[in-house]
Amino acid sequence: MSGQRRILLIVGGGIAAYKSCELVRLLAKADVAVTCVLTDAGAEFVTPMTLATLSGNRVHTSLWDAGEEAEIGHIQLSRAADLVVVCPATADLLAKMAHGLASDLATTLLLATDTPVLAVPAMNVRMWQHPATQRNLATLRGDGVTVMEPDEGPMACGEYGPGRLPEPEQIAAEIARLLGRVVADPLAGQPDFAPAAPRPLNGRHLLVTAGPTHEAIDPVRFIANRSSGRQGFAIAAAAADAGARVTLVAGPVSLSTPPGVDRVDVESASEMQAAVHAALPADAAVMVAAVADWRPAAAATAKLPKSGIADSGIPLAANPDILAELARDPQRPRLLVGFAAETGDPLASATEKRIRKGADWIVANDVSGDVMGGSANQVHLVTDSGVEDWPHLPKEEVARRLVARIAEALATDD
Ligand code: CTP
């Protein structure tokens, strides 16, 4: 066995298809064997000859090639690879994948495969933002497909926004990550498919909440807090690096999605609660979000006038406690981890919160300094066997340690 990694690359029909040629070149240079499938629409943008020359392999285009069916069989073609990559994944291809259509060679392979699938979408910004596309993406992510976030910027069609295909180097790095390999020298610009760190969360699903919530007062005002989302995003990134499928339910933050993480953006606590439920089942949940405790009892539909409010106040209603309700849910994750941001005595109230909310662990931190929005964190891990004090660490290191502990706990529970 040579140990050479094999990719089945499905090239859909979009102007970004030309970038898939560069992707093939990068992968071939890194000694990855690439077999290309070109859809009819894809063939309008790049030719089979280009992909065959760059990959050094025959390019497959039709389901109805009798010789090919006898020779290889499309089922085998879909399973011989270590990873199936759909790039560019057009809105049409994503919709067909989400609905299980098998109308041509590419979609038939995608339905027949038992190999992990990476979709790299590229399309017009309105098509990307359309609820139908977003629904299809949620379905695909639920089915275990990894979906890369598109880049934002000027588009070939003249509009501006998210929908651009990421650069081939980024896609190659994501492929390397999914193959369980690392980019050894990112500065060199070439993915190095050298053996990587162990991936103790392979096959697990982790749910992470992060960031603040915004609770609308009226169409222009809201109640919020100072959470930056950085600790939660770092945990999601560390869990993805450890091999987990990660769903990150994020409140309004200005952070980019870590590679390999499925992100669901929400605004309010109620939306966060719904997104958490939609993401179940999960092996573990880490609730890092700083959920607003209250919301205005009724958000005004028109902007409130200045006069009157200061005297009468804004009536508030209590928000659902997402962590406590998850602890009582029939689909409760095996390991439930809460965060407790405190300004008083962090340990006493974290110990009490662990029991009251039904969490397995509470990560307690003192937020009286610049922790919210800062880059470091000093935490204490409160479990049923006591309290561990961790040193003052960068948030990324807190994340790595916590993810390592989660992997250990899930392994011993098996
Ligand atoms: N949490 C939640 N839903 C809420 C409030 C909090 O899921 N409505 C979760 C947080 O994500 C965190 C944990 O509960 O994991 C503790 O959050 P914290 O704000 O410290 O707890 P509160 O219940 O708001 O307690 P306090 O009375 O100290 O404000």
Side-chain angles (χ1 to χ4, degrees):
M1 278 277 293
S2 73
Q4 192 187 32
R5 297 307 191 127
R6 287 166 302 179
I7 300 279
L8 181 72
L9 176 67
I10 295 176
V11 180
I15 182 63
Y18 78 91
K19 287 193 188 170
S20 60
C21 300
E22 176 62 9
L23 177 64
V24 173
R25 200 187 63 77
L26 285 176
L27 293 172
K29 205 168 153 191
D31 196 31
V32 176
V34 187
T35 302
C36 296
V37 170
L38 191 57
T39 66
D40 286 350
E44 298 289 329
F45 294 89
V46 293
T47 68
M49 178 65 85
T50 312
L51 293 170
T53 308
L54 290 168
S55 66
N57 286 314
R58 175 167 170 206
V59 173
H60 306 271
T61 51
S62 171
L63 191 54
W64 309 116
D65 180 334
E68 175 153 311
E69 187 59 23
E71 217 180 287
I72 311 176
H74 57 252
I75 305 255
Q76 201 201 325
L77 189 57
S78 75
R79 296 188 184 165
D82 297 301
L83 181 71
V84 176
V85 179
V86 188
C87 175
T90 59
D92 179 67
L93 257 178
L94 292 170
K96 285 178 172 154
M97 287 166 73
H99 291 88
L101 299 190
S103 50
D104 61 4
L105 179 62
T107 50
T108 303
L109 293 176
L110 285 161
L111 198 59
T113 195
D114 55 3
T115 300
V117 177
L118 168 69
V120 194
M123 67 195 72
N124 165 274
V125 56
R126 301 262 175 266
M127 292 169 81
W128 172 254
Q129 287 167 340
H130 196 286
T133 301
Q134 291 301 316
R135 254 195 326 271
N136 291 334
L137 290 167
T139 302
L140 290 170
R141 286 179 163 135
D143 291 348
V145 172
T146 303
V147 181
M148 265 186 98
E149 286 294 314
D151 278 356
E152 194 166 328
M155 316 198 75
C157 55
E159 290 187 58
Y160 186 95
R164 282 162 55 99
L165 196 81
E167 291 309 316
E169 290 77 9
Q170 278 172 273
I171 303 170
E174 177 66 359
I175 290 171
R177 196 187 68 75
L178 288 173
L179 287 174
R181 306 293 172 106
V182 288
V183 180
D185 182 6
L187 291 179
Q190 297 297 335
D192 181 339
F193 290 77
R199 295 162 66 76
L201 285 177
N202 256 337
R204 309 284 193 193
H205 179 209
L206 248 76
L207 172 60
V208 180
T209 66
T213 63
H214 284 183
E215 310 295 333
I217 296 172
D218 67 17
V220 294
R221 305 182 181 97
F222 52 80
I223 298 177
N225 61 63
R226 294 188 194 281
S227 168
S228 66
R230 286 182 62 171
Q231 184 64 78
F233 273 57
I235 290 168
D241 282 348
R245 173 163 83 85
V246 182
T247 305
L248 171 63
V249 179
V253 292
S254 48
L255 293 173
S256 51
T257 310
V261 167
D262 294 336
R263 172 173 176 174
V264 182
D265 283 322
V266 297
E267 289 242 332
S268 64
S270 324
E271 285 174 20
M272 185 170 276
Q273 186 181 36
V276 162
H277 278 272
L280 296 176
D283 297 287
V286 190
M287 316 297 277
V288 199
V291 184
D293 290 317
W294 324 277
R295 64 177 184 277
T301 50
K303 188 181 165 197
L304 293 172
K306 181 165 62 177
S307 58
I309 299 297
D311 302 326
S312 63
I314 298 172
L316 297 175
N319 266 334
D321 191 312
I322 304 170
L323 171 59
E325 291 193 7
L326 189 57
R328 291 191 290 267
D329 195 289
Q331 293 200 85
R332 181 196 195 277
R334 253 194 302 156
L335 184 66
L336 190 50
V337 184
F339 266 65
E342 309 290 350
T343 51
D345 172 359
L347 289 187
S349 80
T351 307
E352 179 273 323
K353 256 177 213 176
R354 191 184 77 83
I355 313 265
R356 172 163 53 87
K357 298 202 179 208
D360 299 300
W361 301 348
I362 290 277
V363 181
N365 59 342
D366 182 350
V367 293
S368 43
D370 71 342
V371 164
M372 282 200 153
S375 59
N377 212 352
Q378 168 148 34
V379 304
H380 314 269
L381 183 65
V382 182
T383 69
D384 62 352
S385 43
V387 177
E388 276 172 39
D389 300 325
W390 289 10
H392 196 258
L393 296 167
K395 287 182 176 173
E396 289 71 21
E397 187 51 31
V398 171
R400 273 191 289 275
R401 285 189 184 210
L402 185 64
V403 162
R405 292 295 296 271
I406 290 171
E408 263 173 47
L410 291 177
T412 52
D413 270 12
D414 276 342

